[in-house]
Amino acid sequence: MKNQLVHMKGTKDGLVLRLDDQCAYQDLVEELERKVSEGGIDGRVNVSLDLGYRYLLEQQKQELINIIEHPGKMVVSKVLSNVITVDENNAKMQGNLCDTYVGIVRSGQVIQAPGDIIVIGDVNPNGKIEAGGNIFVMGKLKGIAHAGIGGDREAIVAASWFEPTHVYIADVIEVMSNEKPIVKEHAEQLFAYINKEGNISYDRLQEARKIRPLLNTKGGS
Amino acid sequence: MTGCRKPEKYGHYSTLKEVANVGEAIVITSGKGGVGKTTTAANLGTALALQGKKVCLVDTDIGLRNLDLVLGLDNRIIYDLVDVVEGRCKIHQALVKDKRVDDKLYLLPAAQTTDKNAVTPEQMKELINELKREFEYVLIDCPAGIEQGYRNAIAGADSAIVVTTPEISAVRDADRVIGLLEKEEINPPKLIINRVRKDLINQGDAMNINEITTHLSIDLLGIIVDNEDVIASSNKGEPIVMDPNNKASLGYRNIARRILGESVPLMTLEEEHKGVFKKLMSIFSR
């Protein structure tokens, strides 16, 4: 008898369908169709699809899901896979990357980063920083900062000296005027974030751990 | 393999020596117009020539030439920069000699009848390289702006001097130009703050020197105090630096000495009130 290509296993989170990752894709499809039509399940259940080390195109994944859901008894809630492509991995890494720019961002210059960026130096008026993630300026921020450019509303803009002309976070724009009391009186060590009302707020850098606890990636001892 | 290494080494050595023998091309730029690029070029050129260096001033403000007027050489122009680039004359035919500084100062005037697009950066580079073989310093007077004229002016330069005044608009434009210069393969630009007025700074109506230098964060080459004689001398076609007793002239002379590698302390604005004794003290305490 042939090896089983589709393993069905019950766990406390629901049914897991583990598909063999060494056989031909066509064989897998055939066995899956057979297994699903066998039935033996009452009612609708959530299943997780575990692909193991097999890489599937988006279209193939959809095909398998359609086969499983076709009889109307199982719903695929999750697709697990141990592999991703190099491109996907790189894109993921870029988003998590923290770039460092050493120098002065002068008038007319634009510095872009896919993830976070640390600027060691000043951002002069009309200089611009654009980042997919957070912006940290170790010098004076006197220009324009756009954090979370891809839409990350959790992103922050922090600076040792916080005196920007414009702050953008995701799709929220703030034109800095001198009326902001905290910025006017205390430009040192501030950061900007989107508050619960959806507006840009400022606070002391020390408050970041309360306002954005998820920024922390390192545990202390 | 070892046989062919020796001549290779010799070849390398000789090119190094050749490089060491040529002069330095310095572009004087600012971004904003009217901050005193041309005046600075004329005065620094004259000051370097007075120090015994062979200097060529190159006016790249094609179509709006002024440097010849400030130097008082306008009526001696026969050929210009565009004539040289287009091969209508030899370089030395176009160079105008300043007779006041014996055989040390020359001007390559800009053309007046055409515009900045008449030359390309490649042609400028070639021209400046040729001048560098003959002169110890080639000062390039850059037009205002950051377009074609600017690109032509910086093409052949080895280093750059950025001129600004203590006004926020001039400083902002200087910041932009410094950013552009830092992308070029030249020495880090140096700063001259022109038209410094002590009274305005003390009143808080103008940016002070420290503010400007920290904002731009490049080396300060010198400051020039605001002085009405500068305008008068420009109109006469006689650079102020010829007058040894003028305060602005001293500023230019100091900058010229710094370019030559001397370490000259920065002129403080308070120095105006110093007594003779204090002045003597400061000379000895150097």
Side-chain angles (χ1 to χ4, degrees):
Chain A
M1 195 192 153
K2 245 188 353 179
N3 271 345
Q4 258 200 332
L5 299 182
V6 179
H7 295 271
M8 236 186 256
K9 209 172 135 196
T11 68
K12 61 178 181 198
D13 299 326
L15 212 53
V16 177
L17 274 182
R18 233 184 69 219
L19 307 186
D20 188 282
D21 53 16
Q22 298 301 315
C23 68
Y25 176 70
Q26 204 48 50
D27 294 344
L28 190 69
V29 169
E30 279 165 20
E31 170 134 356
L32 190 65
E33 274 173 338
R34 204 169 339 112
K35 201 108 187 185
V36 165
S37 59
E38 273 172 16
I41 297 167
D42 300 323
R44 286 170 72 87
V45 282
N46 278 337
V47 294
S48 305
L49 192 59
D50 186 356
L51 301 174
Y53 287 94
R54 180 190 295 276
Y55 180 73
L56 287 185
L57 297 172
E58 208 44 55
Q59 170 197 349
Q60 293 173 319
K61 261 183 217 165
Q62 206 49 53
E63 190 184 353
L64 293 186
I65 291 171
N66 285 344
I67 292 169
I68 296 165
E69 292 184 345
H70 180 66
K73 287 194 174 154
M74 288 184 275
V75 178
V76 178
S77 57
K78 201 156 51 167
V79 180
L80 306 169
S81 173
N82 292 340
V83 285
I84 57 171
T85 64
V86 173
D87 283 348
E88 282 167 352
N89 181 49
N90 285 350
K92 226 174 193 161
M93 266 173 59
Q94 285 225 308
N96 293 332
L97 210 70
C98 188
D99 283 312
T100 311
Y101 178 84
V102 186
I104 291 157
V105 185
R106 298 183 184 276
S107 173
Q109 293 183 326
V110 183
I111 304 297
Q112 287 166 317
D116 293 358
I117 185 163
I118 295 178
V119 179
I120 300 178
D122 296 342
V123 181
N124 279 353
N126 284 347
K128 193 172 186 186
I129 308 279
E130 292 179 349
N134 307 298
I135 297 173
F136 309 104
V137 181
M138 305 284 274
K140 290 184 172 180
L141 172 59
K142 294 188 281 187
I144 305 164
H146 192 165
I149 204 161
D152 180 8
R153 292 171 72 95
E154 292 289 302
I156 67 164
V157 177
S160 306
W161 183 267
F162 193 87
E163 198 190 348
T165 55
H166 300 74
V167 173
Y168 300 64
I169 297 174
D171 53 338
V172 185
I173 304 172
E174 180 85 349
V175 179
M176 301 292 295
S177 57
N178 292 334
E179 291 140 37
K180 305 272 176 315
I182 186 166
V183 179
K184 198 183 176 187
E185 286 160 21
H186 184 92
E188 268 170 41
Q189 300 186 358
L190 288 184
F191 76 103
Y193 62 98
I194 298 184
N195 62 18
K196 290 195 181 82
E197 285 81 49
N199 304 317
I200 290 180
S201 259
Y202 316 90
D203 217 320
R204 290 166 55 237
L205 220 47
Q206 287 77 357
E207 301 299 315
R209 69 190 185 111
K210 285 181 210 151
I211 294 162
R212 288 284 182 271
L214 292 179
L215 276 178
N216 193 9
T217 55
K218 190 114 183 115
S221 60
Chain B
M1 272 306 268
T2 41
C4 62
R5 264 180 86 174
K6 214 173 176 184
E8 209 176 86
K9 222 176 176 179
Y10 273 110
H12 181 61
Y13 180 69
S14 66
T15 49
L16 261 183
K17 214 176 163 198
E18 205 178 281
V19 168
N21 272 343
V22 300
E24 186 182 2
I26 306 172
V27 63
I28 295 165
T29 182
S30 72
K32 189 177 180 296
V35 294
K37 285 180 297 296
T38 302
T39 314
T40 302
N43 281 295
L44 283 187
T46 311
L48 285 167
L50 286 171
Q51 292 272 339
K53 298 291 167 190
K54 212 171 172 206
V55 181
C56 181
L57 290 165
V58 181
D59 189 353
T60 60
D61 204 346
I62 300 167
L64 293 166
R65 71 175 178 210
N66 295 140
L67 189 52
D68 49 326
L69 291 167
V70 176
L71 287 163
L73 300 174
D74 52 310
N75 52 11
R76 307 240 304 273
I77 296 173
I78 298 163
Y79 293 108
D80 56 46
L81 191 150
V82 175
D83 290 329
V84 176
V85 165
E86 292 183 352
R88 281 192 290 272
C89 71
K90 294 268 162 42
I91 284 192
H92 69 263
Q93 290 179 290
L95 291 175
V96 184
K97 186 163 84 178
D98 191 331
K99 285 179 180 157
R100 289 165 297 201
V101 210
D102 43 22
D103 261 10
K104 294 293 182 191
L105 184 64
Y106 289 80
L107 168 71
L108 179 58
Q112 188 67 339
T113 48
T114 173
D115 62 36
K116 314 279 191 277
N117 298 320
V119 289
T120 63
E122 290 74 31
Q123 289 172 320
M124 278 301 297
K125 200 168 178 177
E126 207 176 305
L127 177 71
I128 300 296
N129 280 342
E130 206 161 317
L131 287 171
K132 267 163 52 177
R133 265 180 232 135
E134 210 170 313
F135 293 92
E136 285 164 281
Y137 287 94
V138 179
L139 298 190
I140 307 159
D141 182 23
C142 178
I146 49 171
E147 294 83 23
Q148 181 75 30
Y150 161 84
R151 282 194 288 276
N152 286 341
I154 62 160
D158 303 305
S159 39
I161 292 175
V162 175
V163 182
T164 187
T165 60
E167 289 163 82
I168 196 137
S169 50
V171 172
R172 193 66 69 85
D173 289 359
D175 191 38
R176 174 87 172 111
V177 164
I178 293 165
L180 294 173
L181 287 169
E182 282 174 344
K183 278 191 211 134
E184 303 293 327
E185 281 176 2
I186 58 173
N187 298 326
K190 299 228 163 96
L191 183 70
I192 291 180
I193 306 175
N194 197 8
R195 283 202 216 116
V196 174
R197 284 181 60 177
K198 192 188 155 215
D199 50 338
L200 284 182
I201 289 176
N202 286 350
Q203 285 166 35
D205 292 333
M207 295 176 83
N208 70 39
I209 308 300
N210 212 1
E211 246 179 293
I212 297 169
T213 47
T214 49
H215 182 94
L216 298 176
S217 55
I218 58 170
D219 289 348
L220 182 64
L221 198 54
I223 58 173
I224 308 294
V225 292
D226 193 37
N227 191 296
E228 9 186 80
D229 294 341
V230 176
I231 299 168
S233 71
S234 287
N235 286 340
K236 262 187 276 171
E238 222 173 71
I240 190 77
V241 84
M242 300 283 212
D243 172 5
N245 301 316
N246 185 282
K247 198 86 172 132
S249 162
L250 183 64
Y252 285 121
R253 282 166 185 245
N254 282 349
I255 291 170
R257 286 167 64 194
R258 287 188 198 109
I259 291 174
L260 296 176
E262 280 180 57
S263 73
V264 187
L266 199 69
M267 190 164 61
T268 55
L269 294 170
E270 283 70 33
E271 219 171 19
E272 282 168 40
H273 300 301
K274 264 193 187 171
V276 181
F277 181 71
K278 264 195 168 172
K279 267 187 187 161
L280 272 174
M281 282 297 287
S282 68
I283 289 166
F284 286 121
S285 61
R286 259 178 216 170

